[in-house]
Amino acid sequence: MINTANGMIPTSSSSANPQSPGLKTYFKTPEGRYKLHYEKTHPSSLLHYAHGKTVTQVTLAHLKDKPAPSTPTGSSSSFSASTGVKSAAARWLGSGNGSRALSFVGGNGGTKSISSTSRIGSLGASSSSNSLTNTNFDGKGTYLISNVGDAIFISDLNSHDKDPIKSIHFSNSNPVCHAFDQDAKEGHDLLIGLNSGDVYSVSLRQQLQDVGKKLVGAHHYNKDGSVNNSRCTSITWVPGGDGAFVVAHADGNMYVYEKNKDAAGDSTFSIIKDQTQFSVSHARYSKSNPMARWHVCQGSINSIAFSFDGAYLATVGRDGYLRVFDYSKEQLVCGGKSYYGAVLCCAWSMDGKYILTGGEDDLVHVWSMEDRKVVAWGEGHNSWVSGVAFDSYWSAPNTDGTGETVMYRFGSVGQDTQLLLWDLEMDEIVVPLRRCAGGSPTYSTGSQSSHWDNASPLGTLQPASSIRDVPKISPLVAHRVHNEPLSGLIFTQDSVLTVCQEGHIKIWMRPGAAESQSSNTETLLSTSSKDKPLHSSKIGGSSYKQ
């Protein structure tokens, strides 16, 4: 996690465009212009900082078709999706003492008109008049989930309205991380980790149906820090794990939970004998939750990410190391140290061959799983790198005809407020063949493992490589996209999303996408192909696949 500067969040709201005169609304790439399409923010009057400020993270959530209807209950929180979401929007987006009509043009579930006389921030108050239409709205669509202050905000990605349609407030601690499981067959699909160490799992659709500002139907794990009282730093579902998820903490431990087990299940683990060594401890009882503790490192784990097939788990931490684990075998596979300082973020390529990392050395590193080493590093940021991602929607202009990826596009964002896009072309990477004693290394083109003397031994953590031994790449694009330090980026089929630490989100449409998006507003994140799963992953885009 990155520490934010002190101060309050600016009071920009939906009525004002927070775009600074010094910031351009587009940036150029070889394939055309990326244009600022619209922005998402939050009503500043709804924010509370009783528990201190946190860095905003964003999760993309795509709700599929509504499940088969069940018998309604008499609970006061049982609203139809239409009533719940639109009533919540009416409460959130009503202006002052007057009425305000809202139109969610092209948003999730169609066009919805709302008239409300409630005051912004008065979530608990009842609207004096609500005129609701389109009763067929069922919550299906794409949403942005973000944490700011003591709240989780949920926004409709496909609506141009800047304000969120829902907020959830936490009374005792701030939410700091979250994850969505688009493949959840039933039940809970959204995880939320708090600064206190507490973890919740909920149904996103159920939250949208409820008009209140508290979690509904939640399972509460690690209540009051009963298992670990250090801050949650990162949280993720296990791909194909049938409800399993992993929570990383600031004390260097990770815990594996199962959502279908009792959230209050008793868990006791053996004492960690050596804080400097990786170890795994399993709970004594089969019904315990969490089921296992992984002690990864001394100091904070800053971020964790699974490969898309769920086989490997990457972690980066305060100690400056990337570590890659075989998840099923619970074994360390490889890893290595940054040139300087902590590593803050990591991301996998879709094919699982490469890992990006960024951190306090202001550099982006490209790690090869085949070589188990750094194969390239990128220089271009002027401050800490806080978010990295490959672009799975971008296709190289030329291929070698073998089906192998010959070029990757990826993106990075940093505290210097810049978005950088990079091209990593396999045939142009120059890698060292060998280093003669006391002499300079010899080089060869390509990045195949045969070009290295030997891949690092399995389970070895490598020291930082000499910069002159690793090929350097330069950014294709460098563009200042926000006024505040950035905390993350997400790439969709038609756009690139950037988010700053203060919670403002910008949607940049890919070249040509703005025109096609007008004819089909539901395709902003539609990924019908199974080889491109929806994750809150981060990637940089170009000649994207239609």
Side-chain angles (χ1 to χ4, degrees), residues 186-480:
E186 59 182 357
H188 293 183
D189 49 18
L190 176 62
L191 299 171
I192 303 171
L194 305 188
N195 196 57
S196 61
D198 294 61
V199 177
Y200 292 93
S201 70
V202 296
S203 163
L204 175 59
R205 182 175 273 108
Q206 189 175 3
Q207 308 313 305
L208 290 170
Q209 291 172 349
D210 188 84
V211 298
K213 61 178 180 178
K214 300 295 182 182
L215 289 176
V216 291
H219 290 169
H220 192 173
Y221 310 88
N222 191 30
K223 186 175 182 180
D224 300 325
S226 59
V227 177
N228 189 310
N229 60 7
S230 67
R231 182 181 77 255
C232 293
T233 56
S234 189
I235 193 166
T236 182
W237 293 98
V238 179
D242 196 24
F245 61 93
V246 179
V247 184
H249 287 265
D251 65 351
N253 289 307
M254 296 189 305
Y255 294 86
V256 181
Y257 291 84
E258 170 57 63
K259 76 172 184 179
N260 295 322
K261 287 187 176 182
D262 184 1
D266 176 57
S267 291
T268 55
F269 299 99
S270 59
I271 297 174
I272 300 172
K273 296 180 180 179
D274 188 347
Q275 292 283 342
T276 64
Q277 296 298 314
F278 167 65
S279 64
V280 177
S281 176
H282 294 270
R284 299 177 182 178
Y285 308 105
S286 60
K287 294 184 179 181
S288 297
N289 213 12
M291 303 174 290
R293 180 199 65 209
W294 293 35
H295 178 70
V296 175
C297 59
Q298 287 183 298
S300 177
I301 302 171
N302 291 327
S303 183
I304 60 177
F306 273 100
S307 59
F308 286 92
D309 60 4
Y312 297 101
L313 175 62
T315 72
V316 293
R318 176 69 251 174
D319 63 357
Y321 278 94
L322 162 74
R323 293 173 173 86
V324 181
F325 301 94
D326 184 312
Y327 179 70
S328 62
K329 295 180 180 178
E330 299 179 334
Q331 292 179 351
L332 176 66
V333 175
C334 61
K337 201 172 189 311
S338 64
Y339 290 116
Y340 171 80
V343 187
L344 303 172
C345 52
C346 60
W348 288 84
S349 62
M350 286 292 296
D351 55 17
K353 293 182 178 180
Y354 297 95
I355 306 171
L356 296 173
T357 63
E360 294 178 358
D361 58 9
D362 304 348
L363 302 175
V364 177
H365 300 263
V366 183
W367 296 78
S368 167
M369 279 296 290
E370 185 178 15
D371 299 308
R372 299 195 285 273
K373 293 179 180 179
V374 176
V375 294
W377 61 275
E379 184 178 40
H381 283 287
N382 301 314
S383 188
W384 296 358
V385 180
S386 49
V388 289
F390 283 95
D391 188 351
S392 61
Y393 297 96
W394 180 84
S395 60
N398 298 307
T399 62
D400 59 3
T402 64
E404 293 290 324
T405 301
V406 296
M407 183 186 291
Y408 295 82
R409 171 66 63 83
F410 64 88
S412 61
V413 295
Q415 289 202 337
D416 58 1
T417 72
Q418 290 193 105
L419 164 68
L420 271 57
L421 298 182
W422 313 73
D423 278 350
L424 181 69
E425 190 164 359
M426 298 295 96
D427 290 341
E428 294 183 357
I429 291 181
V430 181
V431 298
L433 276 167
R434 63 187 66 83
R435 171 181 287 279
C436 303
S440 299
T442 58
Y443 293 90
S444 173
T445 59
S447 64
Q448 303 303 314
S449 58
S450 59
H451 294 152
W452 296 90
D453 287 334
N454 285 296
S456 303
L458 194 68
T460 302
L461 291 178
Q462 297 293 311
S465 303
S466 172
I467 286 184
R468 66 175 180 164
D469 287 353
V470 180
K472 175 186 175 182
I473 59 176
S474 298
L476 177 72
V477 172
H479 182 66
R480 184 168 173 253

